[in-house]
Amino acid sequence: MNPKQVFLYVLLFGAAGLLLFMYLQVWIEEQHTGRIERKREQKGTSEWQPVQSLQHASRMVTTGRIQEHITNQNSEVHMPEDLKKKRGNLLNLGGPARVLKKNSHSQGEDGAPQSSTDNSKETHQVAKPQAFQKPIEMTWPLNKGSVQGNNKWKKADATQEKRQSFLREFCKKHGGVNDPKSSLFHIVSRVYVEDKHRTLYCEVPKAGCSNWKRVLMVLNGLASSAYNISHDTVHYGKHLKTLDSFDLKGIDMRLKAYTKVVFVRDPMERLVSAFRDKFEHPNSYYHPVFGKAIIKKYRPNAIAEALNNGSGVKFKEFVYYLLDAHRPVGMDIHWERVSKLCHPCLINYNFIGKFETLEEDANYFLQLIGAPKELKFPNFKDRHSSDERTSAQVVRQYLKNLTRAERQRLYDFYHLDYLMFNYTTRHL
């Protein structure tokens, strides 16, 4: 046999071996696929499986799981039928549930805003969501007797009972005001955690939040005094954790065992305060992002300089933007409603403070959680300290440039905050 014949035989055997190998590979894959399909048919499941447990849910939570997770063994909250009809059945009962992945946000007082709307990516899956039946359990982890016996705090304690009772009654009557599409991680994304004193604080910008963050840092042992912490350290230092940084087990434990506090403010005063802070002073973020868009859409014949730098937004233009269903830019936490920031009908707050009685409420709360006696709530204004504080009189000066219809629409926009926290429409 000559070399050419040997080479030809080797080539033919090699080709035959390759074809045999390819055939066997296809046959094995078909057998494997068939076994998978048979298992799926036996289990009756599809490729998209619902979340089975809190432990394995990671950052994906169905609406039904959120609603199941948010429970209370004491008080039940129902959504009345008339509210269901009015809002087009907000809970979408019987419809497809959504799996919402956490979309993290970060912002300081001046930085890129933490959007108050959830821009999470959505994936549909077939599951029947439950109605929001009960708020997260309110467990007061403290012995209040030591402060209740002090005459100094009797009035503050009575005020707390009144505020909490008022909010509970509101939520009992209108329990469906929350967005059922929000993920649990979004719901708690504004809640700051202080583990040492087992405290959860929901941040409401323009209601003393900077000083509250200073207090939390002192409680955490991160600073010796609230007066020595700069504004940038408070908002950009990232020394404090938010509740959404924990897993579901950690969130659940803290919601049940920690003291939950929120501080609110008259909606109109908070709105005017935010406008003055962000648009009447130089700002490297709010002017080019919000200011330029507002001037472009709501100011006829705007000059090139205003369009280029976004400075000089007028309060009336700002209100037009706020009330526009098709805003050129999104919402911002500094003027977003407390009902959407802190979800007070889902998270049952143990303590409701008000900006109007800030120092008294804050120092009473510090007593309740067993804070060091020397720690007092700071009363300084750390930004634009030379400006007059935003008071009822200042608010009236801004609102007088609006028509009565525009003022009414502004009140309608914040009506839930007015109702939840028993504020009167004194500026209308």
Side-chain angles (χ1 to χ4, degrees), residues 32-79:
H32 180 67
T33 303
R35 284 196 297 272
I36 292 175
E37 293 300 327
R38 285 194 295 273
K39 287 182 180 179
R40 284 181 178 173
E41 290 173 2
Q42 291 170 1
K43 292 182 179 180
T45 59
S46 64
E47 182 180 0
W48 298 98
Q49 299 184 19
V51 176
Q52 297 297 330
S53 66
L54 292 177
Q55 286 78 8
H56 299 289
S58 184
R59 297 272 171 173
M60 299 176 65
V61 187
T62 65
T63 304
R65 177 63 62 188
I66 297 165
Q67 295 161 351
E68 178 183 343
H69 178 78
I70 299 172
T71 58
N72 185 344
Q73 298 177 0
N74 297 321
S75 59
E76 189 169 2
V77 178
H78 299 281
M79 182 170 67

Short mmCIF file of all heavy atoms in Angstrom, two decimals, residues 32-79:
data_model
loop_
_atom_site.label_atom_id
_atom_site.label_comp_id
_atom_site.label_asym_id
_atom_site.label_seq_id
_atom_site.Cartn_x
_atom_site.Cartn_y
_atom_site.Cartn_z
N HIS A 32 -31.74 15.13 26.80
CA HIS A 32 -31.69 16.04 27.96
C HIS A 32 -32.85 17.04 27.94
O HIS A 32 -33.51 17.27 28.95
CB HIS A 32 -30.35 16.78 27.96
CG HIS A 32 -30.20 17.74 29.10
ND1 HIS A 32 -30.11 17.31 30.41
CD2 HIS A 32 -30.15 19.10 29.13
CE1 HIS A 32 -30.01 18.35 31.21
NE2 HIS A 32 -30.02 19.46 30.46
N THR A 33 -33.12 17.60 26.75
CA THR A 33 -34.23 18.56 26.62
C THR A 33 -35.56 17.90 26.92
O THR A 33 -36.44 18.47 27.56
CB THR A 33 -34.25 19.17 25.21
OG1 THR A 33 -32.98 19.78 24.96
CG2 THR A 33 -35.36 20.20 25.07
N GLY A 34 -35.71 16.67 26.46
CA GLY A 34 -36.96 15.95 26.71
C GLY A 34 -37.22 15.74 28.18
O GLY A 34 -38.33 15.85 28.67
N ARG A 35 -36.14 15.40 28.94
CA ARG A 35 -36.30 15.21 30.38
C ARG A 35 -36.71 16.50 31.08
O ARG A 35 -37.55 16.51 31.98
CB ARG A 35 -34.98 14.68 30.96
CG ARG A 35 -34.72 13.21 30.67
CD ARG A 35 -33.63 12.68 31.61
NE ARG A 35 -32.37 13.35 31.40
CZ ARG A 35 -31.44 12.96 30.52
NH1 ARG A 35 -31.66 11.89 29.76
NH2 ARG A 35 -30.30 13.62 30.40
N ILE A 36 -36.12 17.63 30.66
CA ILE A 36 -36.49 18.93 31.26
C ILE A 36 -37.95 19.25 31.01
O ILE A 36 -38.68 19.69 31.90
CB ILE A 36 -35.59 20.04 30.70
CG1 ILE A 36 -34.15 19.85 31.19
CG2 ILE A 36 -36.10 21.42 31.11
CD1 ILE A 36 -33.16 20.84 30.61
N GLU A 37 -38.40 19.03 29.75
CA GLU A 37 -39.79 19.34 29.42
C GLU A 37 -40.75 18.47 30.22
O GLU A 37 -41.80 18.93 30.67
CB GLU A 37 -40.03 19.17 27.91
CG GLU A 37 -39.29 20.16 27.04
CD GLU A 37 -39.70 21.58 27.36
OE1 GLU A 37 -40.88 21.79 27.72
OE2 GLU A 37 -38.86 22.47 27.28
N ARG A 38 -40.38 17.17 30.39
CA ARG A 38 -41.26 16.29 31.17
C ARG A 38 -41.34 16.73 32.62
O ARG A 38 -42.40 16.68 33.24
CB ARG A 38 -40.74 14.85 31.06
CG ARG A 38 -41.04 14.18 29.72
CD ARG A 38 -40.80 12.68 29.80
NE ARG A 38 -39.40 12.36 30.03
CZ ARG A 38 -38.50 12.22 29.05
NH1 ARG A 38 -38.86 12.39 27.78
NH2 ARG A 38 -37.25 11.91 29.34
N LYS A 39 -40.21 17.19 33.18
CA LYS A 39 -40.24 17.69 34.56
C LYS A 39 -41.11 18.93 34.68
O LYS A 39 -41.84 19.11 35.64
CB LYS A 39 -38.81 18.01 35.01
CG LYS A 39 -37.97 16.78 35.29
CD LYS A 39 -36.58 17.18 35.78
CE LYS A 39 -35.73 15.95 36.06
NZ LYS A 39 -34.37 16.33 36.52
N ARG A 40 -41.03 19.82 33.71
CA ARG A 40 -41.85 21.04 33.74
C ARG A 40 -43.33 20.70 33.68
O ARG A 40 -44.17 21.29 34.35
CB ARG A 40 -41.48 21.96 32.57
CG ARG A 40 -40.17 22.70 32.79
CD ARG A 40 -39.86 23.61 31.62
NE ARG A 40 -38.65 24.36 31.84
CZ ARG A 40 -38.07 25.12 30.93
NH1 ARG A 40 -38.61 25.23 29.73
NH2 ARG A 40 -36.96 25.78 31.21
N GLU A 41 -43.66 19.71 32.80
CA GLU A 41 -45.06 19.32 32.69
C GLU A 41 -45.56 18.71 33.98
O GLU A 41 -46.70 18.92 34.40
CB GLU A 41 -45.21 18.31 31.55
CG GLU A 41 -45.01 18.94 30.16
CD GLU A 41 -45.00 17.90 29.06
OE1 GLU A 41 -45.20 16.70 29.39
OE2 GLU A 41 -44.81 18.25 27.89
N GLN A 42 -44.69 17.91 34.64
CA GLN A 42 -45.10 17.29 35.90
C GLN A 42 -45.33 18.34 36.98
O GLN A 42 -46.22 18.24 37.80
CB GLN A 42 -44.03 16.29 36.35
CG GLN A 42 -43.93 15.05 35.46
CD GLN A 42 -42.72 14.21 35.80
OE1 GLN A 42 -41.96 14.53 36.70
NE2 GLN A 42 -42.56 13.12 35.07
N LYS A 43 -44.49 19.36 37.03
CA LYS A 43 -44.63 20.41 38.05
C LYS A 43 -45.70 21.42 37.69
O LYS A 43 -46.16 22.18 38.54
CB LYS A 43 -43.31 21.14 38.26
CG LYS A 43 -42.24 20.27 38.90
CD LYS A 43 -40.97 21.09 39.11
CE LYS A 43 -39.90 20.26 39.77
NZ LYS A 43 -38.66 21.04 39.98
N GLY A 44 -46.07 21.46 36.43
CA GLY A 44 -47.08 22.42 36.00
C GLY A 44 -46.59 23.85 36.05
O GLY A 44 -47.35 24.76 36.33
N THR A 45 -45.31 24.09 35.84
CA THR A 45 -44.75 25.43 35.92
C THR A 45 -44.22 25.83 34.56
O THR A 45 -43.96 25.01 33.69
CB THR A 45 -43.60 25.47 36.94
OG1 THR A 45 -42.60 24.52 36.53
CG2 THR A 45 -44.09 25.13 38.32
N SER A 46 -44.03 27.12 34.39
CA SER A 46 -43.47 27.66 33.17
C SER A 46 -42.10 28.23 33.47
O SER A 46 -41.62 28.17 34.58
CB SER A 46 -44.38 28.77 32.62
OG SER A 46 -44.40 29.83 33.52
N GLU A 47 -41.48 28.80 32.48
CA GLU A 47 -40.14 29.35 32.65
C GLU A 47 -40.13 30.47 33.68
O GLU A 47 -39.17 30.64 34.41
CB GLU A 47 -39.64 29.87 31.30
CG GLU A 47 -38.23 30.43 31.37
CD GLU A 47 -37.77 30.93 30.03
OE1 GLU A 47 -38.57 30.83 29.08
OE2 GLU A 47 -36.65 31.41 29.94
N TRP A 48 -41.22 31.28 33.77
CA TRP A 48 -41.30 32.38 34.72
C TRP A 48 -41.97 31.87 35.98
O TRP A 48 -43.17 31.69 36.01
CB TRP A 48 -42.07 33.55 34.15
CG TRP A 48 -41.43 34.11 32.95
CD1 TRP A 48 -41.74 33.86 31.64
CD2 TRP A 48 -40.34 35.02 32.92
NE1 TRP A 48 -40.92 34.53 30.81
CE2 TRP A 48 -40.06 35.26 31.56
CE3 TRP A 48 -39.57 35.64 33.90
CZ2 TRP A 48 -39.04 36.12 31.15
CZ3 TRP A 48 -38.56 36.49 33.50
CH2 TRP A 48 -38.30 36.72 32.14
N GLN A 49 -41.21 31.63 37.03
CA GLN A 49 -41.76 31.10 38.27
C GLN A 49 -41.91 32.20 39.29
O GLN A 49 -41.07 33.08 39.39
CB GLN A 49 -40.83 30.01 38.83
CG GLN A 49 -40.69 28.83 37.89
CD GLN A 49 -39.85 27.75 38.52
OE1 GLN A 49 -39.69 27.71 39.72
NE2 GLN A 49 -39.33 26.86 37.70
N PRO A 50 -42.98 32.19 40.09
CA PRO A 50 -43.17 33.22 41.10
C PRO A 50 -42.16 33.06 42.23
O PRO A 50 -41.63 31.99 42.45
CB PRO A 50 -44.59 32.96 41.62
CG PRO A 50 -44.84 31.53 41.33
CD PRO A 50 -44.09 31.22 40.06
N VAL A 51 -41.91 34.18 42.92
CA VAL A 51 -41.02 34.14 44.07
C VAL A 51 -41.64 33.26 45.14
O VAL A 51 -42.81 33.41 45.50
CB VAL A 51 -40.82 35.58 44.62
CG1 VAL A 51 -39.98 35.54 45.88
CG2 VAL A 51 -40.16 36.44 43.56
N GLN A 52 -40.88 32.29 45.67
CA GLN A 52 -41.42 31.32 46.60
C GLN A 52 -41.23 31.72 48.06
O GLN A 52 -41.99 31.30 48.90
CB GLN A 52 -40.77 29.95 46.36
CG GLN A 52 -41.06 29.38 44.98
CD GLN A 52 -42.53 29.11 44.77
OE1 GLN A 52 -43.25 28.80 45.71
NE2 GLN A 52 -43.00 29.25 43.56
N SER A 53 -40.19 32.46 48.37
CA SER A 53 -39.95 32.78 49.77
C SER A 53 -39.20 34.08 49.89
O SER A 53 -38.58 34.56 48.94
CB SER A 53 -39.12 31.67 50.43
OG SER A 53 -37.83 31.62 49.85
N LEU A 54 -39.29 34.68 51.09
CA LEU A 54 -38.58 35.92 51.33
C LEU A 54 -37.08 35.71 51.24
O LEU A 54 -36.35 36.55 50.75
CB LEU A 54 -38.94 36.45 52.73
CG LEU A 54 -40.36 36.93 52.92
CD1 LEU A 54 -40.57 37.35 54.36
CD2 LEU A 54 -40.69 38.09 52.00
N GLN A 55 -36.60 34.54 51.70
CA GLN A 55 -35.17 34.31 51.73
C GLN A 55 -34.56 34.26 50.33
O GLN A 55 -33.45 34.68 50.11
CB GLN A 55 -34.86 33.00 52.47
CG GLN A 55 -35.05 33.09 53.98
CD GLN A 55 -36.50 33.02 54.37
OE1 GLN A 55 -37.35 32.74 53.52
NE2 GLN A 55 -36.80 33.28 55.62
N HIS A 56 -35.31 33.71 49.37
CA HIS A 56 -34.76 33.52 48.04
C HIS A 56 -35.21 34.60 47.07
O HIS A 56 -34.92 34.54 45.90
CB HIS A 56 -35.15 32.15 47.48
CG HIS A 56 -34.64 31.02 48.32
ND1 HIS A 56 -33.31 30.69 48.37
CD2 HIS A 56 -35.29 30.17 49.17
CE1 HIS A 56 -33.15 29.66 49.19
NE2 HIS A 56 -34.32 29.33 49.68
N ALA A 57 -35.95 35.60 47.56
CA ALA A 57 -36.49 36.61 46.66
C ALA A 57 -35.43 37.58 46.18
O ALA A 57 -35.60 38.22 45.17
CB ALA A 57 -37.61 37.39 47.37
N SER A 58 -34.33 37.70 46.91
CA SER A 58 -33.27 38.64 46.59
C SER A 58 -33.89 40.02 46.41
O SER A 58 -34.59 40.51 47.26
CB SER A 58 -32.53 38.18 45.33
OG SER A 58 -31.46 39.03 45.05
N ARG A 59 -33.65 40.69 45.26
CA ARG A 59 -34.18 42.03 45.04
C ARG A 59 -35.41 42.02 44.15
O ARG A 59 -35.77 43.02 43.57
CB ARG A 59 -33.09 42.90 44.42
CG ARG A 59 -31.90 43.09 45.33
CD ARG A 59 -32.09 44.27 46.23
NE ARG A 59 -31.04 44.32 47.22
CZ ARG A 59 -30.88 45.31 48.06
NH1 ARG A 59 -31.71 46.30 48.07
NH2 ARG A 59 -29.92 45.30 48.94
N MET A 60 -36.06 40.85 43.99
CA MET A 60 -37.26 40.78 43.18
C MET A 60 -38.42 40.39 44.07
O MET A 60 -38.41 39.37 44.74
CB MET A 60 -37.10 39.74 42.06
CG MET A 60 -35.96 40.08 41.10
SD MET A 60 -35.73 38.79 39.88
CE MET A 60 -37.27 38.90 39.00
N VAL A 61 -39.47 41.23 44.08
CA VAL A 61 -40.59 40.99 44.97
C VAL A 61 -41.88 41.23 44.22
O VAL A 61 -42.05 42.27 43.60
CB VAL A 61 -40.54 41.96 46.19
CG1 VAL A 61 -41.60 41.58 47.20
CG2 VAL A 61 -39.17 41.91 46.85
N THR A 62 -42.81 40.27 44.25
CA THR A 62 -44.09 40.49 43.60
C THR A 62 -44.95 41.40 44.44
O THR A 62 -44.74 41.55 45.64
CB THR A 62 -44.84 39.16 43.40
OG1 THR A 62 -45.14 38.64 44.69
CG2 THR A 62 -44.02 38.18 42.60
N THR A 63 -45.95 42.01 43.79
CA THR A 63 -46.88 42.84 44.55
C THR A 63 -47.55 42.04 45.63
O THR A 63 -47.72 42.49 46.76
CB THR A 63 -47.95 43.42 43.60
OG1 THR A 63 -47.29 44.14 42.56
CG2 THR A 63 -48.89 44.35 44.34
N GLY A 64 -47.94 40.81 45.30
CA GLY A 64 -48.56 39.97 46.32
C GLY A 64 -47.64 39.70 47.48
O GLY A 64 -48.06 39.68 48.63
N ARG A 65 -46.34 39.50 47.20
CA ARG A 65 -45.38 39.26 48.27
C ARG A 65 -45.22 40.50 49.14
O ARG A 65 -45.11 40.42 50.35
CB ARG A 65 -44.04 38.86 47.65
CG ARG A 65 -42.94 38.66 48.68
CD ARG A 65 -43.27 37.52 49.63
NE ARG A 65 -43.39 36.26 48.94
CZ ARG A 65 -43.83 35.15 49.53
NH1 ARG A 65 -44.20 35.16 50.79
NH2 ARG A 65 -43.94 34.04 48.84
N ILE A 66 -45.20 41.68 48.50
CA ILE A 66 -45.11 42.92 49.28
C ILE A 66 -46.31 43.02 50.22
O ILE A 66 -46.19 43.31 51.41
CB ILE A 66 -45.10 44.15 48.35
CG1 ILE A 66 -43.87 44.11 47.45
CG2 ILE A 66 -45.11 45.43 49.16
CD1 ILE A 66 -43.97 45.06 46.29
N GLN A 67 -47.49 42.77 49.66
CA GLN A 67 -48.69 42.93 50.45
C GLN A 67 -48.76 41.89 51.56
O GLN A 67 -49.27 42.16 52.65
CB GLN A 67 -49.91 42.81 49.53
CG GLN A 67 -49.95 43.98 48.53
CD GLN A 67 -50.82 43.68 47.35
OE1 GLN A 67 -51.28 42.56 47.17
NE2 GLN A 67 -51.06 44.68 46.53
N GLU A 68 -48.23 40.67 51.29
CA GLU A 68 -48.20 39.65 52.32
C GLU A 68 -47.18 40.01 53.39
O GLU A 68 -47.37 39.76 54.57
CB GLU A 68 -47.84 38.31 51.68
CG GLU A 68 -47.72 37.16 52.69
CD GLU A 68 -47.30 35.88 52.01
OE1 GLU A 68 -47.40 35.80 50.78
OE2 GLU A 68 -46.85 34.96 52.72
N HIS A 69 -46.08 40.64 52.95
CA HIS A 69 -45.01 40.99 53.88
C HIS A 69 -45.43 42.11 54.83
O HIS A 69 -45.01 42.16 55.97
CB HIS A 69 -43.80 41.45 53.06
CG HIS A 69 -42.64 41.89 53.90
ND1 HIS A 69 -41.79 41.01 54.50
CD2 HIS A 69 -42.21 43.13 54.22
CE1 HIS A 69 -40.87 41.67 55.16
NE2 HIS A 69 -41.10 42.96 55.00
N ILE A 70 -46.27 43.03 54.34
CA ILE A 70 -46.66 44.17 55.14
C ILE A 70 -47.89 43.79 55.95
O ILE A 70 -49.01 43.88 55.48
CB ILE A 70 -46.95 45.38 54.24
CG1 ILE A 70 -45.67 45.73 53.47
CG2 ILE A 70 -47.40 46.58 55.03
CD1 ILE A 70 -45.88 46.77 52.43
N THR A 71 -47.72 43.34 57.17
CA THR A 71 -48.81 42.84 57.98
C THR A 71 -48.82 43.43 59.36
O THR A 71 -47.81 43.88 59.86
CB THR A 71 -48.72 41.31 58.11
OG1 THR A 71 -47.47 40.99 58.70
CG2 THR A 71 -48.87 40.62 56.76
N ASN A 72 -49.99 43.39 59.97
CA ASN A 72 -50.15 43.83 61.36
C ASN A 72 -51.21 42.95 62.00
O ASN A 72 -52.24 42.71 61.41
CB ASN A 72 -50.60 45.30 61.41
CG ASN A 72 -50.66 45.83 62.82
OD1 ASN A 72 -50.67 45.05 63.78
ND2 ASN A 72 -50.70 47.13 62.94
N GLN A 73 -50.96 42.49 63.20
CA GLN A 73 -51.88 41.57 63.84
C GLN A 73 -52.97 42.30 64.62
O GLN A 73 -53.84 41.67 65.21
CB GLN A 73 -51.10 40.66 64.79
CG GLN A 73 -50.08 39.80 64.05
CD GLN A 73 -49.28 38.95 65.01
OE1 GLN A 73 -49.49 39.01 66.21
NE2 GLN A 73 -48.37 38.16 64.47
N ASN A 74 -52.93 43.61 64.65
CA ASN A 74 -53.88 44.33 65.50
C ASN A 74 -54.97 45.05 64.72
O ASN A 74 -56.15 44.84 64.93
CB ASN A 74 -53.13 45.34 66.37
CG ASN A 74 -52.17 44.65 67.32
OD1 ASN A 74 -52.50 43.60 67.86
ND2 ASN A 74 -50.99 45.21 67.51
N SER A 75 -54.58 45.97 63.82
CA SER A 75 -55.58 46.82 63.16
C SER A 75 -55.65 46.51 61.68
O SER A 75 -54.63 46.42 61.01
CB SER A 75 -55.22 48.29 63.35
OG SER A 75 -53.95 48.55 62.82
N GLU A 76 -56.84 46.34 61.17
CA GLU A 76 -57.03 45.99 59.76
C GLU A 76 -57.43 47.22 58.99
O GLU A 76 -58.23 48.04 59.43
CB GLU A 76 -58.12 44.92 59.63
CG GLU A 76 -58.21 44.35 58.24
CD GLU A 76 -59.09 43.12 58.19
OE1 GLU A 76 -59.64 42.76 59.24
OE2 GLU A 76 -59.22 42.54 57.12
N VAL A 77 -56.85 47.39 57.80
CA VAL A 77 -57.12 48.53 56.95
C VAL A 77 -57.77 48.04 55.67
O VAL A 77 -57.19 47.22 54.96
CB VAL A 77 -55.82 49.30 56.62
CG1 VAL A 77 -56.11 50.45 55.69
CG2 VAL A 77 -55.20 49.81 57.91
N HIS A 78 -58.94 48.55 55.36
CA HIS A 78 -59.66 48.14 54.15
C HIS A 78 -59.78 49.34 53.22
O HIS A 78 -59.88 50.48 53.65
CB HIS A 78 -61.06 47.64 54.48
CG HIS A 78 -61.06 46.44 55.36
ND1 HIS A 78 -60.80 45.17 54.90
CD2 HIS A 78 -61.26 46.32 56.71
CE1 HIS A 78 -60.87 44.31 55.90
NE2 HIS A 78 -61.14 44.98 57.00
N MET A 79 -59.83 49.06 51.92
CA MET A 79 -60.08 50.11 50.95
C MET A 79 -61.57 50.11 50.64
O MET A 79 -62.09 49.10 50.18
CB MET A 79 -59.28 49.89 49.67
CG MET A 79 -59.49 51.00 48.66
SD MET A 79 -58.34 50.88 47.27
CE MET A 79 -58.92 49.38 46.51
#
